[in-house]
Amino acid sequence: MPVYSFTDRTRVVRTTAYTSTESDHLIYGAKNATGTQLRYTDRVRSAAADWSIYPVGTVFRIKGMSQLYVVDDYGSALTGTGTIDIYQPTRNLMNLWGRRNVELTIVQWGSFTRSAEILSQRTKYRHCSQMLANIVRQRPDLGRVAAR
């Protein structure tokens, strides 16, 4: 798992793309892990990541793009990788994005507390348990949130 300092706001990150019409996302429809709609506007777009690396609510910008991206989703294949999955509304756009390394700048860090609160309700899923354990390892004070 990549180790970043929270003072390192600019970094090169591997990205992939996903869409809500992929077979493993169909049961969730166009909703993200926070229960709200996946976003894809001219200003703000959704992204999925390992919440123990990029906590829910993390806002970033990809170099050369005008949109802001918000981490509001996660995926089992992302746990422990440092990869960020960029939401695309269609399969065609998803395939066009493909896999690419991008330079991104963190505009605002998200909340490990909120991440732990959400993940603590989903521990029957291995990737959620892993992300939660990694958050508690980094932030032992959040162990009480995980125990609820």
Side-chain angles (χ1 to χ4, degrees):
M1 173 179 353
V3 178
Y4 297 113
S5 162
F6 286 104
T7 58
D8 299 336
R9 291 200 174 262
T10 300
R11 57 192 66 182
V12 174
V13 175
R14 178 182 183 217
T15 63
T16 52
Y18 74 108
T19 188
S20 60
T21 61
E22 288 180 276
S23 61
D24 63 342
H25 207 283
L26 286 176
I27 61 171
Y28 307 109
K31 298 236 182 215
N32 58 39
T34 66
T36 61
Q37 290 294 118
L38 288 162
R39 294 181 272 187
Y40 189 86
T41 70
D42 290 340
R43 298 188 71 217
V44 180
R45 296 182 179 178
S46 292
D50 178 333
W51 288 2
S52 66
I53 300 172
Y54 300 100
V56 66
T58 298
V59 179
F60 63 92
R61 184 179 310 277
I62 294 174
K63 184 178 182 177
M65 299 182 77
S66 62
Q67 300 83 10
L68 291 175
Y69 291 84
V70 179
V71 175
D72 57 13
D73 211 356
Y74 56 68
S76 59
L78 302 172
T79 306
T81 67
T83 298
I84 295 178
D85 221 358
I86 304 298
Y87 172 69
Q88 301 290 345
T90 67
R91 282 184 178 270
N92 187 43
L93 288 172
M94 178 187 77
N95 291 332
L96 284 172
W97 184 272
R99 179 180 67 206
R100 40 177 113 163
N101 292 330
V102 301
E103 183 178 308
L104 64 80
T105 301
I106 304 295
V107 175
Q108 179 180 329
W109 284 104
S111 170
F112 280 120
T113 302
R114 184 158 177 245
S115 298
E117 288 169 349
I118 294 169
L119 292 169
S120 68
Q121 299 169 19
R122 302 174 186 179
T123 55
K124 68 180 181 179
Y125 302 105
R126 186 166 185 244
H127 63 288
C128 292
S129 293
Q130 288 174 324
M131 287 188 288
L132 182 58
N134 288 336
I135 289 170
V136 171
R137 193 174 302 115
Q138 295 172 69
R139 295 275 312 271
D141 59 305
L142 294 179
R144 63 180 170 15
V145 172
R148 287 185 195 164

